[in-house]
Every structure is written in C-alpha cells, then in structure tokens.
Amino acid sequence: MTNVIPGGVGRVSPCRLVDLPEHSDPRGKLTVVQPGKGIDFEIRRAYYIHHIPQGAERGAHGHRRLRQVIVAVHGSFDVVVDDGFTQDKVTLDNPSRGLYVGPMVWRDMIDFAPGTVGLWLVSEPYDETEYYRDYETFLRDAKAMTGDLR
Ligand code: TYD
C-alpha cells in the first residue's frame, strides 16, 4: 500500500482527512462536530465502538450510498480503504482529525489500541440493505462503474 490520503481511493467521492474545529485552553481541548465545518453532509446517525478486544477487526463492508466521517475519539486504529482499484491505510489517532469515507469504498478497521473509542458520523439511518457485506459482490459493482465518478 503506497498511497497516502489525500489520495486516489474512492471513485464516487474520494476519501480524505477532515480537520474538526478544536478549541484548546488551559482546561483542555474541545472538538466541534458541525455540518459545514469539515463535514459536508447532514448527520442523520452517530454511533461509537468501545470495549474492543485485543486483535479484533471490524468493518469488512462497503456502502452503496452512505457517507461517513470516522474519528478515533480515544486511542487509535487503522482504517484500510479500498475502492476496488486502489487501497490505502490511514491511522486515526487524533480526536480532532477524522477520515471521510464516501460511497463504494470497502473498509476494514484493524490494529485497535487498548481502550480505543471510535466515533462514526453518518449520512443515513441504519439500513442493512444498503451494505455490501460480500467483497466479491462489492468488487464486481465497483469495477462495473466506468468513467470519472468524482
Ligand atoms: P457491524 O456493521 O458489524 O459493525 P462494524 O461496522 O463496526 O464492524 O454492526 C454490528 C451490529 O450492530 C450489527 O448487528 C448491526 C448493528 N448495527 C445497528 O443496529 N445500527 C447501526 O447503526 C450499526 C452501525 C450497527
């Protein structure tokens, strides 16, 4: 994997790192999540993962339409993104820097540090029919897309 975000992964809407506004003072840091400030979609759902056992891997799916920003609120983990043509691996370890992942990107979350809490800010309500859970099906559809889709 030689690409570096911002890079070429995501033919519908490329993956990119997103800086969230951070307010720092002697009392600590405060990070703001607000559409229009680093997030260019309406947030219709949020969820977070926690109590992740050592060695666990999550994800292993893609989405047909859904957009999301992923933030390591505490700890760190790697996100491997794959649009069927190109792959990249991004380490998330900063609560004020998220990873935008658009439609038609397969993702795996790996290498969770102990105590990690990961936050997902998502453009759609939960809909299992909108998922790709089978990589071969995802690959077939991703490769069938032609032209510059960005
Ligand atoms: P899953 O998609 O496997 O999580 P991850 O992408 O982190 O690997 O989801 C785990 C379970 O949670 C699965 O039974 C579906 C359920 N779930 C919901 O009910 N609502 C949600 O918004 C999400 C993201 C998952």
Side-chain angles (χ1 to χ4, degrees), residues 45-47 49 57-61 107 109 120 125-126 128 131 133:
R45 175 165 55 106
Y47 63 93
I49 59 171
E57 299 187 352
R58 303 198 63 112
H61 65 253
R107 86 292 315 274
M109 279 72 72
W120 268 249
Y126 179 70
E128 184 61 35
Y131 278 68
R133 295 281 188 187

mmCIF file of all heavy atoms in Angstrom, residues 45-47 49 57-61 107 109 120 125-126 128 131 133, ligand 1:
data_model
loop_
_atom_site.group_PDB
_atom_site.id
_atom_site.type_symbol
_atom_site.label_atom_id
_atom_site.label_comp_id
_atom_site.label_asym_id
_atom_site.label_seq_id
_atom_site.Cartn_x
_atom_site.Cartn_y
_atom_site.Cartn_z
ATOM 1 N N ARG A 45 -27.141 10.074 11.781
ATOM 2 C CA ARG A 45 -26.925 8.993 12.754
ATOM 3 C C ARG A 45 -25.495 9.108 13.261
ATOM 4 O O ARG A 45 -24.601 9.565 12.528
ATOM 5 C CB ARG A 45 -27.140 7.633 12.067
ATOM 6 C CG ARG A 45 -26.840 6.411 12.898
ATOM 7 C CD ARG A 45 -27.439 5.160 12.224
ATOM 8 N NE ARG A 45 -26.981 5.000 10.853
ATOM 9 C CZ ARG A 45 -26.091 4.101 10.460
ATOM 10 N NH1 ARG A 45 -25.564 3.257 11.320
ATOM 11 N NH2 ARG A 45 -25.722 4.031 9.195
ATOM 12 N N ALA A 46 -25.298 8.715 14.509
ATOM 13 C CA ALA A 46 -23.945 8.594 15.062
ATOM 14 C C ALA A 46 -23.898 7.317 15.882
ATOM 15 O O ALA A 46 -24.905 6.894 16.465
ATOM 16 C CB ALA A 46 -23.607 9.802 15.923
ATOM 17 N N TYR A 47 -22.752 6.667 15.879
ATOM 18 C CA TYR A 47 -22.554 5.534 16.784
ATOM 19 C C TYR A 47 -21.084 5.466 17.149
ATOM 20 O O TYR A 47 -20.251 6.105 16.494
ATOM 21 C CB TYR A 47 -23.053 4.209 16.183
ATOM 22 C CG TYR A 47 -22.342 3.740 14.944
ATOM 23 C CD1 TYR A 47 -21.255 2.875 15.018
ATOM 24 C CD2 TYR A 47 -22.786 4.135 13.681
ATOM 25 C CE1 TYR A 47 -20.626 2.409 13.871
ATOM 26 C CE2 TYR A 47 -22.156 3.677 12.532
ATOM 27 C CZ TYR A 47 -21.078 2.817 12.635
ATOM 28 O OH TYR A 47 -20.455 2.385 11.497
ATOM 29 N N ILE A 49 -17.869 2.835 18.872
ATOM 30 C CA ILE A 49 -17.442 1.485 19.251
ATOM 31 C C ILE A 49 -16.450 1.608 20.407
ATOM 32 O O ILE A 49 -15.684 2.574 20.492
ATOM 33 C CB ILE A 49 -16.830 0.720 18.056
ATOM 34 C CG1 ILE A 49 -15.618 1.442 17.477
ATOM 35 C CG2 ILE A 49 -17.882 0.522 16.957
ATOM 36 C CD1 ILE A 49 -14.872 0.606 16.442
ATOM 37 N N GLU A 57 -11.057 -7.179 14.661
ATOM 38 C CA GLU A 57 -11.140 -6.395 13.433
ATOM 39 C C GLU A 57 -12.611 -6.130 13.144
ATOM 40 O O GLU A 57 -13.466 -6.985 13.367
ATOM 41 C CB GLU A 57 -10.485 -7.144 12.266
ATOM 42 C CG GLU A 57 -9.007 -7.409 12.528
ATOM 43 C CD GLU A 57 -8.289 -8.005 11.326
ATOM 44 O OE1 GLU A 57 -8.964 -8.348 10.333
ATOM 45 O OE2 GLU A 57 -7.050 -8.103 11.407
ATOM 46 N N ARG A 58 -12.904 -4.933 12.677
ATOM 47 C CA ARG A 58 -14.297 -4.561 12.396
ATOM 48 C C ARG A 58 -14.404 -4.092 10.945
ATOM 49 O O ARG A 58 -13.405 -3.989 10.245
ATOM 50 C CB ARG A 58 -14.761 -3.466 13.359
ATOM 51 C CG ARG A 58 -14.634 -3.849 14.827
ATOM 52 C CD ARG A 58 -15.480 -2.956 15.696
ATOM 53 N NE ARG A 58 -16.890 -3.096 15.375
ATOM 54 C CZ ARG A 58 -17.793 -3.644 16.191
ATOM 55 N NH1 ARG A 58 -17.428 -4.114 17.363
ATOM 56 N NH2 ARG A 58 -19.062 -3.721 15.828
ATOM 57 N N GLY A 59 -15.628 -3.763 10.563
ATOM 58 C CA GLY A 59 -15.832 -3.280 9.200
ATOM 59 C C GLY A 59 -16.110 -4.434 8.268
ATOM 60 O O GLY A 59 -17.110 -5.127 8.404
ATOM 61 N N ALA A 60 -15.184 -4.628 7.300
ATOM 62 C CA ALA A 60 -15.372 -5.665 6.278
ATOM 63 C C ALA A 60 -16.710 -5.457 5.560
ATOM 64 O O ALA A 60 -17.524 -6.372 5.451
ATOM 65 C CB ALA A 60 -15.251 -7.065 6.867
ATOM 66 N N HIS A 61 -16.942 -4.223 5.139
ATOM 67 C CA HIS A 61 -18.137 -3.944 4.354
ATOM 68 C C HIS A 61 -17.937 -2.651 3.545
ATOM 69 O O HIS A 61 -16.976 -1.910 3.763
ATOM 70 C CB HIS A 61 -19.375 -3.833 5.254
ATOM 71 C CG HIS A 61 -19.355 -2.689 6.216
ATOM 72 N ND1 HIS A 61 -19.166 -2.842 7.563
ATOM 73 C CD2 HIS A 61 -19.496 -1.352 6.021
ATOM 74 C CE1 HIS A 61 -19.197 -1.662 8.157
ATOM 75 N NE2 HIS A 61 -19.389 -0.745 7.246
ATOM 76 N N ARG A 107 -14.139 -1.027 3.562
ATOM 77 C CA ARG A 107 -13.260 -0.609 4.654
ATOM 78 C C ARG A 107 -13.124 -1.692 5.713
ATOM 79 O O ARG A 107 -14.074 -2.423 6.016
ATOM 80 C CB ARG A 107 -13.715 0.704 5.286
ATOM 81 C CG ARG A 107 -14.755 0.698 6.410
ATOM 82 C CD ARG A 107 -16.129 0.271 5.963
ATOM 83 N NE ARG A 107 -16.551 0.882 4.722
ATOM 84 C CZ ARG A 107 -17.142 2.077 4.638
ATOM 85 N NH1 ARG A 107 -17.430 2.732 5.739
ATOM 86 N NH2 ARG A 107 -17.523 2.560 3.471
ATOM 87 N N MET A 109 -11.371 -2.014 9.694
ATOM 88 C CA MET A 109 -10.754 -1.336 10.834
ATOM 89 C C MET A 109 -9.933 -2.356 11.607
ATOM 90 O O MET A 109 -10.469 -3.390 12.030
ATOM 91 C CB MET A 109 -11.812 -0.718 11.753
ATOM 92 C CG MET A 109 -12.349 0.618 11.267
ATOM 93 S SD MET A 109 -13.412 0.541 9.840
ATOM 94 C CE MET A 109 -14.881 -0.178 10.576
ATOM 95 N N TRP A 120 -18.485 7.269 14.771
ATOM 96 C CA TRP A 120 -18.915 7.329 13.368
ATOM 97 C C TRP A 120 -20.014 8.372 13.221
ATOM 98 O O TRP A 120 -21.019 8.330 13.954
ATOM 99 C CB TRP A 120 -19.458 5.965 12.924
ATOM 100 C CG TRP A 120 -18.439 5.053 12.311
ATOM 101 C CD1 TRP A 120 -18.378 4.680 10.996
ATOM 102 C CD2 TRP A 120 -17.354 4.391 12.960
ATOM 103 N NE1 TRP A 120 -17.316 3.831 10.793
ATOM 104 C CE2 TRP A 120 -16.669 3.645 11.983
ATOM 105 C CE3 TRP A 120 -16.884 4.363 14.274
ATOM 106 C CZ2 TRP A 120 -15.548 2.880 12.280
ATOM 107 C CZ3 TRP A 120 -15.767 3.610 14.564
ATOM 108 C CH2 TRP A 120 -15.107 2.881 13.577
ATOM 109 N N PRO A 125 -29.772 6.881 8.008
ATOM 110 C CA PRO A 125 -30.196 5.938 9.047
ATOM 111 C C PRO A 125 -29.673 4.538 8.722
ATOM 112 O O PRO A 125 -29.317 4.257 7.581
ATOM 113 C CB PRO A 125 -31.726 5.972 8.969
ATOM 114 C CG PRO A 125 -32.075 7.186 8.186
ATOM 115 C CD PRO A 125 -30.920 7.466 7.288
ATOM 116 N N TYR A 126 -29.654 3.687 9.711
ATOM 117 C CA TYR A 126 -29.155 2.322 9.507
ATOM 118 C C TYR A 126 -30.074 1.567 8.552
ATOM 119 O O TYR A 126 -31.285 1.522 8.742
ATOM 120 C CB TYR A 126 -29.086 1.590 10.847
ATOM 121 C CG TYR A 126 -28.595 0.173 10.716
ATOM 122 C CD1 TYR A 126 -27.272 -0.096 10.382
ATOM 123 C CD2 TYR A 126 -29.454 -0.902 10.912
ATOM 124 C CE1 TYR A 126 -26.821 -1.395 10.257
ATOM 125 C CE2 TYR A 126 -29.011 -2.204 10.799
ATOM 126 C CZ TYR A 126 -27.696 -2.437 10.469
ATOM 127 O OH TYR A 126 -27.248 -3.718 10.341
ATOM 128 N N GLU A 128 -29.584 -2.121 6.502
ATOM 129 C CA GLU A 128 -28.711 -3.237 6.161
ATOM 130 C C GLU A 128 -28.711 -3.516 4.655
ATOM 131 O O GLU A 128 -27.708 -3.984 4.115
ATOM 132 C CB GLU A 128 -29.136 -4.489 6.951
ATOM 133 C CG GLU A 128 -28.245 -5.698 6.772
ATOM 134 C CD GLU A 128 -26.791 -5.489 7.215
ATOM 135 O OE1 GLU A 128 -26.558 -4.764 8.199
ATOM 136 O OE2 GLU A 128 -25.884 -6.064 6.555
ATOM 137 N N TYR A 131 -25.851 -2.057 2.575
ATOM 138 C CA TYR A 131 -24.480 -2.543 2.782
ATOM 139 C C TYR A 131 -24.049 -3.505 1.667
ATOM 140 O O TYR A 131 -24.861 -4.258 1.144
ATOM 141 C CB TYR A 131 -24.392 -3.348 4.084
ATOM 142 C CG TYR A 131 -24.233 -2.558 5.351
ATOM 143 C CD1 TYR A 131 -25.256 -1.745 5.840
ATOM 144 C CD2 TYR A 131 -23.067 -2.667 6.109
ATOM 145 C CE1 TYR A 131 -25.114 -1.060 7.039
ATOM 146 C CE2 TYR A 131 -22.916 -1.981 7.308
ATOM 147 C CZ TYR A 131 -23.942 -1.177 7.762
ATOM 148 O OH TYR A 131 -23.802 -0.501 8.947
ATOM 149 N N ARG A 133 -21.779 -6.654 2.099
ATOM 150 C CA ARG A 133 -21.102 -7.486 3.099
ATOM 151 C C ARG A 133 -20.204 -8.520 2.440
ATOM 152 O O ARG A 133 -19.406 -9.173 3.110
ATOM 153 C CB ARG A 133 -22.124 -8.206 3.982
ATOM 154 C CG ARG A 133 -22.988 -7.275 4.847
ATOM 155 C CD ARG A 133 -22.270 -6.798 6.069
ATOM 156 N NE ARG A 133 -23.161 -6.074 6.964
ATOM 157 C CZ ARG A 133 -22.734 -5.437 8.044
ATOM 158 N NH1 ARG A 133 -21.443 -5.435 8.364
ATOM 159 N NH2 ARG A 133 -23.577 -4.783 8.812
HETATM 160 P P1 TYD B 1 -21.381 -4.010 12.165
HETATM 161 O O1 TYD B 1 -21.821 -3.403 10.873
HETATM 162 O O2 TYD B 1 -20.924 -5.433 12.115
HETATM 163 O O3 TYD B 1 -20.235 -3.124 12.840
HETATM 164 P P2 TYD B 1 -18.789 -2.687 12.266
HETATM 165 O O4 TYD B 1 -19.014 -1.938 11.008
HETATM 166 O O5 TYD B 1 -18.178 -1.839 13.352
HETATM 167 O O6 TYD B 1 -17.979 -3.926 12.049
HETATM 168 O O7 TYD B 1 -22.579 -3.866 13.213
HETATM 169 C C1 TYD B 1 -22.617 -4.616 14.416
HETATM 170 C C2 TYD B 1 -24.068 -4.829 14.800
HETATM 171 O O8 TYD B 1 -24.695 -3.603 15.131
HETATM 172 C C3 TYD B 1 -24.894 -5.477 13.696
HETATM 173 O O9 TYD B 1 -25.761 -6.435 14.306
HETATM 174 C C4 TYD B 1 -25.714 -4.336 13.146
HETATM 175 C C5 TYD B 1 -25.874 -3.421 14.345
HETATM 176 N N1 TYD B 1 -25.988 -2.005 13.998
HETATM 177 C C6 TYD B 1 -27.196 -1.341 14.210
HETATM 178 O O10 TYD B 1 -28.195 -1.932 14.647
HETATM 179 N N2 TYD B 1 -27.284 0.002 13.936
HETATM 180 C C7 TYD B 1 -26.219 0.697 13.464
HETATM 181 O O11 TYD B 1 -26.335 1.933 13.233
HETATM 182 C C8 TYD B 1 -24.979 -0.011 13.224
HETATM 183 C C9 TYD B 1 -23.778 0.716 12.669
HETATM 184 C C10 TYD B 1 -24.917 -1.349 13.524
#
